[in-house]
Each structure stands twice: as C-alpha cells, then as structure tokens.
Amino acid sequence: MHEDNAFKDPGQDYRLFVWRVVAAVLVVMLLSSALAWRYYQLQVVRHHEFATRSDRNRIQLLPVPPTRGLVFDRNGELLAYNRSSFNLMVVREQTRGLEQTLSYLRNIVELSDIDIERFQRQLERRQRPYEAVPLKFNLSEEEQAAIAINEYHLPGVQVVAEPVRHYPYGEMFSHVIGYVGRINDREQAEIDQRAYSGTHVIGKTGVERSYEDDLLGEVGYEAVETNSRGRVMRVLERTDPSPGQNIHLYIDARLQEVAWKALEGWRAGLVAIEIETGGVLAMVSRPGFDPNPFVTGISQSGYQALLDDPDRPLFDRNLFGQYPPGSTIKPIVALAGLERGTMGRNYRVFDPGFYQLPNSSHKYRDWRRTGHGWVDMHKAIVESCDTYFYDIGVRMGIDYMHQFMTPFGLGERTGIDIPGERRGIMPSRDWKTGARGQPWYPGDTVNTSIGQGYMLTTPLQLAVSTARIASKGVILTPRVVQPSDGVPNEPEGRIEARSEHWEWVLAAMEDVAHGERGTARSIGRDAAYRIGAKTGTAQVVGIAQGEKYDASRLAERHRDHALFVGYAPADNPRIAIGLVVENGEGGGSTAAPMARIVMDAFMELYPELDGGELAGEVIKVAGP
Amino acid sequence: MRQQDFQHRLRELGSGLYGRTSTWRRFHIDLPLFLLLVMLAGAGLVVLHSASGGSAYYVQRQLAYWGIGMTIMVVVAQVSPRFLARWALLPYLVGVLLLMGVLVFGVGAKGAQRWLEVGGFRFQPSEILKLAVPLLLASYLGRCALPPRVKHIVVALALVGMPTVLVAMQPDLGTALLIAVAGVFVLLLSGLQKRYLFGAAAAAAVAGPLMWAYGMRDYQKQRVITLFDPYSDRLGAGWNIIQSTTAIGSGGVSGKGWMQGTQSQLDFLPESHTDFIIAVLAEEFGLMGVLALLGLYLLVVIRGLWIAVQAQTMFSRLLAGSLTLTFFIYVFVNMGMVSGVLPVVGVPLPLMSYGGTSIVTLMLGFGILMSIATEKKRGV
C-alpha cells in the first residue's frame, strides 16, 4: 500500500519518507514486543516469586500476648491479678517533632524526668519504626480527659489500655508472691523470644518467678495486613492466645494478715507450715514493700529509698535471713542424743551455771548464771538448760550431730518453690575444713549443741524442722503453691527414731508452753489447746569471758534476736511455726506471743472436728 | 504483516466514518484518533481512581485537566499547518529564552531548577520545547530537498542541541533526552543517510562511558546503578523498582481486581498515581490489562503515522511523524522504567498518569496532528 502512495507522489523525497515510516513502524513493533516480553516475564514467568514477595510485604504476624495466670490463696482469695492500666504511648514517626510533643504533654500530664529517661531508653531499643513506646503508665481519669481534649495538638500520642499486674494486698505478700517487671537485657538473652513476643513483663521474684512458665500462658498470633508504614489495615486471621494457669497457694490470706499484724513494728520473719501437706500457711517478712510500683518500673528514687532503708524491706528474712538458731535446736539435739545412746531419759547433769571441757579452764556459761542444779533431759528442754546440752553434745560428738540433724532440713536447702533460699549452716568437720580451712575444735561442738557458733538457719528451716519433729520425722518439702493436679505432696522419707524418744522430746516441748517453769509458759497458760514449743535467743554480738549481757547498755541493733519454734495442737499437730524477731531479745517474751496469735487464728479458722477431721480443709474456689 | 492489517482496517474504518460524518472533518477532528484518546482518558481515570486510593479529588482534577486538554486540542486543530510552519521559530525562541531564565531565576525542587514562577503560576519551560523543537526542525527541513545535506544536518543538530543542553543543565537529563529525541526523529524521517546513522551510533558508543565519567551527576549515576541492581539500595533508590516490579509481577495474567491491588492500595508502591501508574494497572488488571493498554497506544501510533504518510506537505509529514514517534517513546520509556529495564527518569505515562502539564502538552500535540490530518480537505 505504501507503493500506491509512492506512485501517486512522484517526489523521491516522499518515497524516502514513507520508507522511513515503515522502518519506524518496525522499530515501534520491536520495542513494543520487548515491553510485552518484559511484562510477560514479570507477570507470567516470575508471577509466583512476586506474588510471594507481595504477600510478605503486606502480611505481618503480630503476637497477641496471653493474659497472665491469677494467683489465689487457699480459699480462692485473689492475691495477684491483671487490671487495665491506661498508658500514654507515643509513636515518634507520627509526632510533629518529639521535643515539641513532650513539652506540650508536660503541660497537661505530670511527667517526671524518670518517665522521660525511661521513654528515651525504650525508644532506642525499639525494633521497628512506628512502634508505640510507653511514656507514662496508669493515667488518672483527669489525665486521660486532658489528653483527649488536646488530641488535635498531639498527633502520634495515644492512650492504650494494657493489662497490668496488680497485687491488692501490697506489702503483705511482697516476698512470697514477688512481682513481675519489665524484661531486662539479661533476661532478654535467656528467654524464648517467641514465647515472650508481645509480653513485656516477666516474673522477677517469689512465686511470680518460680511459676513463670505456668503463669505466662501461650502466645497467640494475628496475621495482619499492614501498609508500607506498618499500620494495621485489617486482620486476616487470628490464633487466640491461651491464658496462663491460675495458681492456688497453700497460704490463707486471713492467717497471713494476722501474722502480718502480729509482727508489726519489728524486723522479723515468720513461717507457718501445714504439717500434713508441707504447705505454707503463712509467710511474713517484716518490713515488706509494695510490689506494685515494680510492675510498671519503679522510679530510681523510690528504689534507692528501699535499698537505703536500714530495715532492708526488700530482704526476705524467711529465705535469705540466716540466724543462729540458738536454743530452738535443743529438742533435735536431745533426740540425737537419745538415738545415739549418749544418755537415757533419766541421765542427769549438774549445772553450776557453766560448763568446762575436760582439762580446760575455759567456762562455757549457761544463760542462767546461777545454774539449774541437777537437770535431766525433760527439764533441760523445758528450762532450756545450756550446760546439759554442752555435756551431751560433747559426748555425742559433732559427727553424729551433723548426720542426725541434717535431715531435719538444717544446713541444706528445703527445696521450697520460691527461688533463692539460703542453705544455712549445719557445721561439720568437713564443712569447717572447706569453709574455714581449720580443724574442728571441741569448743566448736560445745557451741553447736546450743545452736550457736557456726550454725545458721533461716526462719523457713526452723519451721520445716519443727514440722518434722511434730510429725515424728515425716519429711515433706515445703510448698507455697498447691499442686495443679490436686495430688497432695508425697513425703520424701522419714527420720527414723524410736517412738518413745519422739514422745519424750515432744512431751518436753509441750511443757515448754504448759509447764510451770517452761520458757514459753506465758503463751500456754490461757490457751484453749495444747502447744508444743521451744524458745531461743541468738547473740548478735559476742560477749567476752566474764562479762555480763546487759540489754540496756547495748544499741538496739546489737540486742539478741528472739526465736521461737512451735506447733499446735500438741496432741495432733497441724501447724508448725518458725519465727525470728531481729533484736527482739527474748524468745519467750517477744517471739512466743506473736506465734501464739497466729496459732490462735489458725485454730479458730480451722477448728478440729470430731474424729480428727479438719474443718477448713483446703478449699479450692475458682477465681473471678 | 500485522501492522498492515491494522492500517488497512483503520483506513477502511476511517473512510467509512468520514463518509458519513463530515461534520467531524469540518471541525478538523480526526475521529479514529479522537476515539482512541477518549478510550485512553477513560482507562486512565479508572486506574487513577484506584491508584489514588479511591479519592475523588484526583479523579475530578484529572477530569478537569482532560477538559482543558480537549479544548486546547480542538482549538489547535483549527490552526492550519501552513500557519504553524510560518511561525515555527517563535515558540522555539520563547522556549529557549525561558530556559535561560530558569537557570537564572528558576525555582528549585529536589536539587534541580526546572520551574519558572510567573504570578503564582508555576510551569516548566522545557515542556514548550518538547513541541517547539520538532516544529522548528520540521519547518526547516521541510523546505530543503531531501535527504538533507551536511549543512542542513549541522544546523538542525545545533537547533536541537541548544535547548537540550539548557535543559540538561537544570539538570533534567530525562527531559533533555526526550527533547533531543523529538528533534532527532525529524532528522531520521527526513531521510538521513545510513552512514550518518552508523556514525552517530558509533559516536554514542564512545560518548556513553565519557558521559558516565564526566557528564553525569551523582543522582543520575545512582539511577543507573540501581537499574542494574535494585537490591543494592533496598530502601532508597531501589525501593521504587522493587515495589513496582513486585506490583507488576504479583498481578499475574488477570490481575488482583480493580481496587484490590495490595501493593498500590497499601502504599507500598510509590508515585502510584503519577509516574508508576502502569504498575497499578498491571497489578489490578494483569498482563491482559497491560497488553490492552499497549494495544491502544499502538493504535494511536499507527494512526499518527498514517496521518503523517497521508499529509500534504513535507513539513506536515515530518512533524506528524516526529510527534507520533515521540509519543511512543514516552510510552516505551515509562513502561520500561517501571518494569525495571530502563533507568527511572521521571517520565509520566502519556494520558494515564495524573498531572495537568503532561496532558496539556500531549493534547496540544494531538491538536497539531488533527490539523495535519484534516489539511487535505482544506486544500481541496
């Protein structure tokens, strides 16, 4: 057809033009084919690759954190739960300048330098852009309203409801339940990142820490479609998280409260154990602290104040406090002596007020300077005669004492389900060689037989050993949390001793509270039930030979610690108590009355029914 | 053979329509071209609606631009080609002067001075040259005997070279090349001898590396590097190409559906309503949509070249041919750059991308084409 035109037009230049147009058409077709080929390559040949990339672009898996399990006491009383906290969050990319936004916020919300500092730190640690970072927790209603009103001036600022752990009892359970807090760098390195994606807190101390795996729950996921700025446009699919397990303690919150009040004003630790199960009925360490500020991050000044407090509120005396058990250990020493055959029931020692090792002039004094006169085992326990125990201790020897007393939970960790307990010291020749690099001297045995010298125990160990005496040797690991399957703890063994030996020792302990000359007779006199007990006093400072202990001359912090162990009711022991009152001076005068208050409350809350059936047997109530 | 079929059918269609509707000719409207433009306008608005996330704002403004563009086209169509040939120097001189003005008084944007502001109205003088250069060259070469002699070639190259260099200095290499291309097409169509063609190709082969070493700005080099390896700069320059090829590729054969393209709707695709609008079309309408659009463009090109072949004077032939081929080059460069085979040079997709300047300039060119197409009748 070009030829047609060419023939019509005689000009050679026109023919040339037409040929050039034909060439141009060919080039256009060639280039178009190249384009079509390119798009075919992208859209057909490599379609799968790009479709995948497009999906990866838009679909993100967002973790949905599980709700943390609740903590109940044995009767279903709520001790730790999650409540909504309204937090102030900032998305830096959406603000009109961070500085400007922060200074604007300062005018309507109270922001401390700590808040800002923590915010900046978290902003740096943020993993992806457009992630909201908390600036302030727990906004009051006024603050929420103020932010809502000024919303227009505050792009990138949002108020988000987030579940926050709350401990309604505050200080009272501070050391037992512990608290959760923001995951720190060290924890971040150790945890399973997947399980904690979306979760900001982790159990730091107490039950919150030891039962972290149960409480945490299983993280869920949401596949969301996001735009290029990471903003969620819609949810495509969702796997619900499964909430953490609820936990039931053996502790009775009412009993805990009674104990808490009984110890008020003292630095003290009390542990009450249910003898049948090994469950902890009450566990109080005074002074306590409010765990709630730790959840959202305690201020530096608040934390410093707790650290600087000379009463050391953060220190859990029941697990970490190691005290010389003093005379509270005597019933076990006596039992050891009986078992060893060191003495019989009627073996007597004359106490002039001191004891001397053979061929030594050194005088080991009795707490009563005038002495107890002729003393047998029963009287030695009831009146807490030191000289008697010096005598049988030395004759028995440290090796047997160590071997026999260790199973009572002395010098080893009890295995309680709260982290960090100290093991205390039940001294032995090996221990002294290893720890001190010195040989064992006979004088060490003298001191050990009245629970002084190297021997150290925690209040928890006192309670555990008392439970084991009261149950005539049943070894149960103490537990704060009830087993989730409802199967009671099995005894791990039994301390073997002749039945009459148990009876003699227990009878003596009963007379400590009820005997005419018992050191704890003040608490037994008007009790409606029978109590088995032993008091103790632990020296804080050594007293030189020939010097007299004079409380009035000693600084308050140098006064003796008051100790008490006991169980009730004596004829069918159900509760065992270990108690240390720092600088409380008298085991019988200071510590025993406190323990009695707890025992009274227990007997009232769990009265004994006919046939030995317990009224207040562990009741599990599903939580709200 | 395919293009002959197209031409044949178009001619039949064209003559059939003219036979019945002479009114169109009376108003100097080339009906086939007009219908193709309307179809492109419709397709463009549909895709723009999706590309702008369903915003009525862009669609309404683009409609307004189309109104202005169509009006200009109709007005220009009334002007006779002889008149254009006579006054061809004027827009060229005005354009070149304004370009010099831009370099002195221009308004900067993104490190380049391209805009001139007059009474609050901003425009790019380089747009004028896209039409003025082929107009002047066609006028100049149309008067000479073809093929042009060396003297004419030198003058023509000088006329092309001056504005090209001025625009390149702004710097706007993409537009400079397109202006040069428009001029060079006139030269090629005028029957430039083969030896010059091969000579130019050889010169380009030598000049290319030299340009790279001395003549290119860093951002231009970056574009070239990114072209060959977009993943070298994932979040910077490479981002656009990665996202646009992902959009195109994920569209597959039939696309994800109108308004359903995840790349475009979720803002992964940059410039989705302007330079990268073809990626939206490719994602939502698939390869079928792309080929349909390419087909429409080719019909426009065929019709334009047919008008050139049918034109009465050599001036008209050269101008119509050059305008048409330049139009195709815009299409090729844009579709090539979005699909990652050409550098990102900031060329909008003709008649599809959002923007008034582009539409007005293009419609002005189509007005000239229509004027040429209907010249025969006036001559008779």
Side-chain angles (χ1 to χ4, degrees):
Chain A
M1 56 191 190
H2 302 288
E3 283 76 8
D4 287 352
N5 294 322
F7 282 122
K8 273 178 205 159
D9 193 311
Q12 203 203 330
D13 51 354
Y14 179 70
R15 205 173 306 152
L16 195 62
F17 175 79
V18 171
W19 277 115
R20 284 292 153 101
V21 168
V22 171
V25 168
L26 286 175
V27 171
V28 164
M29 286 303 159
L30 202 72
L31 294 178
S32 300
S33 305
L35 278 183
W37 176 250
R38 171 65 178 170
Y39 280 78
Y40 171 79
Q41 282 292 320
L42 291 179
Q43 300 195 276
V44 178
V45 178
R46 295 170 66 189
H47 169 65
H48 185 72
E49 172 196 336
F50 286 112
T52 312
R53 192 182 292 167
S54 158
D55 280 346
R56 238 193 354 246
N57 245 350
R58 71 186 174 100
I59 296 172
Q60 286 192 9
L61 276 184
L62 289 188
V64 182
T67 48
R68 197 173 174 84
L70 308 175
V71 180
F72 298 97
D73 87 336
R74 69 193 288 136
N75 299 313
E77 175 75 11
L78 203 45
L79 303 180
Y81 63 94
N82 312 298
R83 68 175 183 190
S84 280
S85 155
F86 291 90
N87 302 337
L88 184 59
M89 312 285 278
V90 176
V91 180
R92 184 174 62 188
E93 284 77 2
Q94 291 172 353
T95 61
R96 301 190 200 112
L98 195 58
E99 285 304 311
Q100 193 193 335
T101 304
L102 288 181
S103 64
Y104 195 99
L105 278 171
R106 269 177 188 277
N107 295 331
I108 51 175
V109 180
E110 204 190 304
L111 283 179
S112 65
D113 289 341
I114 311 288
D115 289 330
I116 306 262
E117 186 191 312
R118 191 178 51 204
F119 170 75
Q120 302 277 17
R121 257 207 322 272
Q122 287 202 21
L123 198 62
E124 282 162 27
R125 263 196 296 203
R126 203 168 56 143
Q127 281 164 358
R128 60 188 171 92
Y130 289 90
E131 197 176 301
V133 173
L135 175 58
K136 187 179 161 84
F137 295 93
N138 257 324
L139 294 179
S140 67
E141 281 183 24
E142 290 76 23
E143 287 172 323
Q144 289 175 47
I147 288 166
I149 291 166
N150 291 286
E151 201 179 1
Y152 175 76
H153 301 284
L154 295 166
V157 172
Q158 29 185 274
V159 175
V160 176
E162 208 182 51
V164 164
R165 198 66 155 173
H166 183 68
Y167 306 102
Y169 281 87
E171 300 184 81
M172 202 186 292
F173 282 91
S174 46
H175 299 108
V176 185
I177 295 174
Y179 54 84
V180 298
R182 299 256 145 192
I183 299 169
N184 63 30
D185 293 340
R186 187 176 46 75
E187 288 157 344
Q188 192 75 45
E190 287 169 4
I191 56 176
D192 173 5
Q193 301 294 337
R194 197 197 63 83
Y196 281 87
S197 48
T199 302
H200 302 301
V201 296
I202 190 169
K204 299 275 187 180
T205 60
V207 167
E208 290 277 26
R209 175 155 167 205
S210 51
Y211 286 85
E212 173 68 24
D213 292 346
D214 298 327
L215 290 165
L216 177 65
E218 185 69 34
V219 67
Y221 282 97
E222 239 176 31
V224 295
E225 193 175 79
T226 60
N227 68 9
S228 60
R229 288 181 298 280
R231 184 159 165 198
V232 174
M233 307 304 278
R234 63 189 166 126
V235 176
L236 300 174
E237 80 179 67
R238 182 184 162 101
T239 311
D240 284 326
S242 35
Q245 282 175 39
N246 293 343
I247 277 180
H248 295 262
L249 305 188
Y250 279 107
I251 293 180
D252 184 322
R254 297 168 297 182
L255 204 61
Q256 179 86 353
E257 191 164 2
V258 168
W260 175 255
K261 286 186 176 148
L263 269 52
E264 188 167 3
W266 296 91
R267 294 178 299 280
L270 178 148
V271 179
I273 286 179
E274 185 180 38
I275 292 171
E276 191 197 348
T277 60
V280 171
L281 285 163
M283 199 174 200
V284 168
S285 175
R286 276 277 200 174
F289 61 94
D290 184 1
N292 288 304
F294 284 88
V295 176
T296 49
I298 190 167
S299 69
Q300 192 59 45
S301 61
Y303 188 59
Q304 199 59 48
L306 287 174
L307 286 178
D308 292 345
D309 189 329
D311 290 344
R312 300 207 287 163
L314 293 175
F315 182 68
D316 180 4
R317 288 169 166 77
N318 290 323
L319 264 62
F320 304 136
Q322 303 186 95
Y323 307 89
S327 305
T328 58
I329 216 69
K330 285 174 180 166
I332 305 176
V333 178
L335 189 65
L338 291 171
E339 281 296 301
R340 177 68 168 168
T342 305
M343 80 295 189
R345 190 184 190 183
N346 299 319
Y347 174 80
R348 295 201 301 171
V349 170
F350 184 79
D351 170 22
F354 59 87
Y355 171 82
Q356 280 175 306
L357 281 167
N359 311 319
S360 168
S361 63
H362 184 93
K363 289 181 174 173
Y364 294 90
R365 285 177 305 191
D366 194 283
W367 63 271
R368 184 185 285 172
R369 293 187 69 81
T370 55
H372 294 84
W374 283 103
V375 182
D376 64 4
M377 189 213 84
H378 189 87
K379 184 178 172 189
I381 290 176
V382 172
E383 296 183 22
S384 200
C385 172
D386 290 337
T387 304
Y388 179 90
F389 284 96
Y390 294 148
D391 177 88
I392 65 162
V394 169
R395 296 200 300 115
M396 179 174 14
I398 184 63
D399 298 330
Y400 187 77
M401 243 195 279
H402 176 264
Q403 177 204 323
F404 185 82
M405 290 170 75
T406 300
F408 282 86
L410 303 171
E412 59 180 21
R413 293 195 177 86
T414 62
I416 193 169
D417 48 350
I418 304 181
E421 64 166 321
R422 296 285 177 273
R423 61 189 319 150
I425 298 170
M426 178 65 231
S428 66
R429 288 179 206 279
D430 287 347
W431 170 84
K432 196 177 175 194
T433 316
R436 300 290 164 101
Q438 289 171 357
W440 187 263
Y441 298 116
D444 295 332
T445 310
V446 177
N447 285 327
T448 305
S449 37
I450 60 157
Q452 300 278 3
Y454 299 116
M455 194 167 181
L456 291 175
T457 54
T458 63
L460 173 67
Q461 286 175 326
L462 291 180
V464 167
S465 61
T466 307
R468 289 178 187 174
I469 299 169
S471 61
K472 296 180 185 170
V474 177
I475 297 177
L476 273 167
T477 302
R479 290 271 166 230
V480 170
V481 175
Q482 295 182 29
S484 54
D485 51 12
V487 177
N489 297 325
E490 282 296 310
E492 277 143 52
R494 200 172 176 113
I495 300 164
E496 293 300 334
R498 282 176 62 185
S499 144
E500 62 263 35
H501 292 166
W502 286 114
E503 299 291 351
W504 296 342
V505 170
L506 291 174
M509 287 182 79
E510 204 173 327
D511 268 358
V512 171
H514 300 283
E516 224 166 275
R517 307 189 58 125
T519 53
R521 61 186 176 279
S522 60
I523 66 164
R525 199 174 293 143
D526 56 348
Y529 52 94
R530 304 285 287 183
I531 298 168
K534 184 70 194 78
T535 60
T537 309
Q539 285 175 15
V540 176
V541 288
I543 300 161
Q545 282 279 310
E547 209 179 299
K548 193 175 182 291
Y549 176 83
D550 182 359
S552 58
R553 273 181 47 217
L554 281 169
E556 197 255 337
R557 303 233 164 214
H558 291 161
R559 289 179 193 158
D560 291 346
H561 295 327
L563 292 90
F564 175 90
V565 299
Y567 56 88
D571 49 349
N572 176 26
R574 290 190 282 139
I575 181 173
I577 288 178
L579 166 62
V580 175
V581 181
E582 287 184 16
N583 315 115
E585 293 197 90
S589 56
T590 309
M594 295 178 187
R596 163 78 192 274
I597 292 170
V598 176
M599 286 178 178
D600 281 353
F602 174 80
M603 295 304 288
E604 197 184 319
L605 290 168
Y606 300 92
E608 199 163 28
L609 299 179
D610 291 336
E613 194 77 9
L614 300 186
E617 194 82 42
V618 177
I619 305 159
K620 264 196 197 170
V621 180
Chain B
M1 290 304 110
R2 240 172 93 203
Q3 68 263 41
Q4 284 187 349
D5 283 350
F6 275 134
Q7 285 177 347
H8 185 69
R9 282 172 56 193
L10 262 180
R11 189 168 53 165
E12 285 192 336
L13 179 72
S15 56
L17 283 167
Y18 294 148
R20 266 175 272 131
T21 58
S22 55
T23 9
W24 291 106
R25 299 224 79 173
R26 200 170 302 138
F27 290 104
H28 300 284
I29 300 298
D30 183 61
L31 192 59
L33 190 53
F34 180 73
L35 290 176
L36 287 170
L37 292 176
V38 169
M39 285 166 78
L40 279 169
L45 290 169
V46 166
V47 178
L48 178 64
H49 179 74
S50 175
S52 57
S55 132
Y57 172 84
Y58 284 109
V59 175
Q60 282 168 7
R61 290 191 56 121
Q62 184 80 338
L63 256 175
Y65 293 145
W66 270 106
I68 296 168
M70 283 288 185
T71 310
I72 287 175
M73 182 189 78
V74 171
V75 169
V76 171
Q78 314 308 315
V79 180
S80 94
R82 281 168 232 277
F83 180 84
L84 290 174
R86 203 174 304 138
W87 293 95
L89 193 59
L90 186 66
Y92 181 86
L93 285 179
V94 171
V96 168
L97 282 174
L98 286 175
L99 276 182
M100 291 172 171
V102 165
L103 288 177
V104 184
F105 309 108
V107 182
K110 293 183 193 170
Q113 288 190 331
R114 298 173 185 179
W115 302 82
L116 206 58
E117 211 169 67
V118 182
F121 181 71
R122 272 181 159 198
F123 72 105
Q124 282 180 285
S126 52
E127 288 294 318
I128 299 176
L129 273 310
K130 284 181 180 173
L131 291 173
V133 166
L135 184 63
L136 181 63
L137 253 71
S139 170
Y140 174 69
L141 292 174
R143 273 175 229 155
C144 320
L146 296 182
R149 294 185 193 156
V150 179
K151 182 184 78 178
H152 301 133
I153 294 171
V154 171
V155 172
L157 283 178
L159 290 175
V160 176
M162 185 152 53
T164 302
V165 169
L166 284 173
V167 174
M169 278 166 69
Q170 287 181 352
D172 185 354
L173 201 64
T175 309
L177 283 172
L178 289 172
I179 290 171
V181 160
V184 167
F185 277 142
V186 180
L187 262 175
L188 292 177
L189 290 169
S190 69
L192 197 69
Q193 281 101 327
K194 286 192 185 77
R195 59 175 182 272
Y196 296 122
L197 282 176
F198 291 128
V206 176
L210 288 175
M211 277 286 285
W212 174 262
Y214 302 106
M216 289 175 83
R217 303 270 175 132
D218 280 346
Y219 83 98
Q220 293 161 338
K221 288 186 184 177
Q222 188 58 52
R223 281 178 178 177
V224 177
I225 292 172
T226 308
L227 171 73
F228 291 113
D229 183 17
Y231 291 88
S232 66
D233 186 11
R234 299 192 68 115
L235 294 175
W239 168 268
N240 292 5
I241 293 304
I242 292 171
Q243 297 302 337
S244 67
T245 49
T246 304
I248 294 166
S250 64
V253 175
S254 53
K256 298 176 183 171
W258 188 50
M259 305 283 288
Q260 301 296 312
T262 52
Q263 286 286 110
S264 9
Q265 302 301 330
L266 299 172
D267 295 338
F268 285 101
L269 191 63
E271 305 286 339
S272 61
H273 62 289
T274 55
D275 290 358
F276 282 73
I277 198 164
I278 183 73
V280 179
L281 176 112
E283 186 185 20
E284 300 192 345
F285 298 94
L287 185 62
M288 304 215 274
V290 171
L291 291 181
L293 183 74
L294 194 59
L296 271 180
Y297 281 135
L298 285 178
L299 289 178
V300 169
V301 169
I302 301 292
R303 183 64 192 171
L305 292 177
W306 181 248
I307 288 170
V309 169
Q310 298 279 8
Q312 298 302 299
T313 64
M314 191 50 74
F315 161 75
S316 299
R317 289 175 203 136
L318 292 176
L319 184 55
S322 168
L323 290 177
T324 305
L325 290 176
T326 309
F327 174 80
F328 175 75
I329 287 301
Y330 290 167
V331 174
F332 179 75
V333 168
N334 180 275
M335 287 180 68
M337 92 183 181
V338 176
S339 63
V341 288
L342 291 178
V344 177
V345 285
V347 174
L349 185 63
L351 305 180
M352 297 289 287
S353 289
Y354 171 79
T357 315
S358 162
I359 286 183
V360 166
T361 313
L362 286 165
M363 294 306 278
L364 227 146
F366 283 114
I368 293 173
L369 267 181
M370 292 200 169
S371 156
I372 293 170
T374 52
E375 191 187 7
K376 193 193 274 176
K377 174 149 199 221
R378 201 180 307 163
V380 171

